[in-house]
Amino acid sequence: MKPSFGAALLVAGTLLSTLSASPAQALDVGCTVTAPAQRGVEERRLTDPRSADLVTRGGLGSFTARFPAALCSTRNAHEAEELADSWGVALWQSAVNRAQGRRPGGDLAPGDDRPLYWARLAMVDQLNGWQPQFAVDAAALRARFEDASRGLKENDFSPAPGLKRIFVSGFDPFGLDGDLRTANPSGSAALTLNGRRVTLDDGSAAEIRAVVLPVRYGDFDRGIVERAYGPRLAAGPRSADRITSISQGYPGLFTVEEWAGRARSADPYPDNTGALSGGTYQNPVVAPGMGPGPEFIRTTLPGAALEQAAQTPYPVLVNPEVTEIPAGGTQPVDREDGPTPGSRAVAGGGGGYLSNEVAYRSNRLRQELRPTLPGGHLHTPVLTGLPADRTQLTGPAFEQNEAAITAEVLVLLKAGWRQDA
């Protein structure tokens, strides 16, 4: 039986409070957690000491320090699965609590999304280096921990009557080979807004729930978007009344993407693991695991109302641009007024990368399960302001810009509601 949210936090909290010995001292005889012999591209970035500094300065160092001992306290595969769930949920909730001022720790800004990313990655690395004395499905265990630490478990809407429900997703940092300090304002917004009760512009009350998705093609191939959005789109008292996928987009402005395209076409730009999509503008491809659907899906978010709701500190624009291969054609064509009949998708307004794909996958599912539901994709401005000195992990301009983007995200999520919706 799956442990409840309270039980999960109790398990993880008890482990965090009782394992006072160092990880090496606390390990059971015969149980080892060592650096994996081979690391993936993402995990190899952990060798940069700034990654550990981001965890410690984000107040999440106790998780990475004590997780090895917790792993070695398990006696069988079932206990290992429960531990992966409980520690993942606890890590997620600790990051949410910190972002919302309920869990002080470290000197980074509360809404900084980077500590969660690097703590999760370090703990996955520890899972990869764990050598238990019993058989486990290592890949399944990592997947459980990943989902739990991203908000996919024990993060349901309240059943309280009269509440409207807004479900959003953000992303991990990406482009880390360019600058390891990179953050993602969509992830920061997800942490800062998850679980918040807000008053919408029509005067009604709403609850926001959020998840943070990986920048990895493989996870999308294995259905993480559908696992995140599916339960919130299924009919029931805790289903969403609006969905909005969010990612970092263009410098200096928000865009509401009018169209999501079915194709991947971002190569040679890699994901966080160094993997390519296999698709280019000349040869777009459809992702593995993609369900049936049209070449382009149009947003049902109230774009005009969102443009009117906020234009400061960042302007908000509805973006109707797409790239298509017209019916009977062979070459990609950029269009400023949406797709033409019978065309093949190359890129939506959000390009041909995972930001476009999360919009397509979530709204394809919306069309299948809740076709009248408002849904679409919001691109935030690029988060700027990190100091030129790359030994400095944060700075006033960076923190102010991150907070300003999240504040405007909230304004946009609250806008465009009808009293009868």
Side-chain angles (χ1 to χ4, degrees), residues 41-42 45 113 117 120-121 146 150 170-176 182-187 212-222 224-225 246-248 264 266 269-277 353-358:
V41 170
E42 226 174 351
R45 298 189 186 104
D113 66 308
Y117 172 77
R120 180 195 303 114
L121 189 61
E146 283 267 356
R150 294 181 176 280
F171 272 107
D172 283 345
F174 64 97
L176 297 163
T182 296
N184 194 322
S186 68
V212 175
L213 299 172
V215 184
R216 298 190 297 240
Y217 289 115
D219 291 76
F220 274 55
D221 296 346
R222 293 185 289 272
I224 192 168
V225 175
I246 308 173
S247 65
Q248 181 175 235
R264 287 178 178 173
Y269 193 82
D271 70 5
N272 274 351
T273 71
L276 298 176
S277 72
Y353 196 47
L354 291 172
S355 59
N356 169 78
E357 189 168 325
V358 68

Side-chain angles (χ1 to χ4, degrees), residues 375-392:
H377 189 80
L378 179 67
H379 262 127
T380 75
V382 173
L383 177 56
T384 60
L386 282 170
D389 179 357
R390 294 199 174 191
T391 66
Q392 302 297 311

Side-chain angles (χ1 to χ4, degrees), residues 102 149 229 272 302 308 341 379 404:
R102 295 189 296 270
S149 64
Y229 279 86
N272 274 351
Q308 295 168 8
H379 262 127

Side-chain angles (χ1 to χ4, degrees), residues 24 26 71 76 109 131 145 158 163 192 248 259 269 280 312 328 338 345 356 365 396 399:
L71 288 170
N76 53 57
Q131 300 175 33
F145 175 76
S158 166
L163 274 179
T192 304
Q248 181 175 235
W259 297 94
Y269 193 82
T280 66
T312 57
N356 169 78
L365 199 60
E399 295 176 3

Side-chain angles (χ1 to χ4, degrees), residues 92-93 96 100 155 189-196 208-210:
W92 166 260
Q93 194 59 51
V96 167
Q100 298 180 20
N155 191 25
L191 293 173
T192 304
L193 300 178
N194 183 65
R196 288 271 301 274
I208 301 169
R209 288 287 165 178

Side-chain angles (χ1 to χ4, degrees), residues 4 32 58 119 233 241 327 360:
S4 68
T32 58
L233 288 169
D241 296 297
Y360 186 91

Side-chain angles (χ1 to χ4, degrees), residues 46 162 173 231 272 287 299 340-341 402:
L46 292 166
N272 274 351
T299 184
T340 57
E402 186 175 57

Side-chain angles (χ1 to χ4, degrees), residues 38-53:
Q38 292 187 334
R39 281 174 162 155
V41 170
E42 226 174 351
E43 289 80 7
R44 286 201 294 270
R45 298 189 186 104
L46 292 166
T47 59
D48 189 314
R50 292 175 297 174
S51 67
D53 290 345

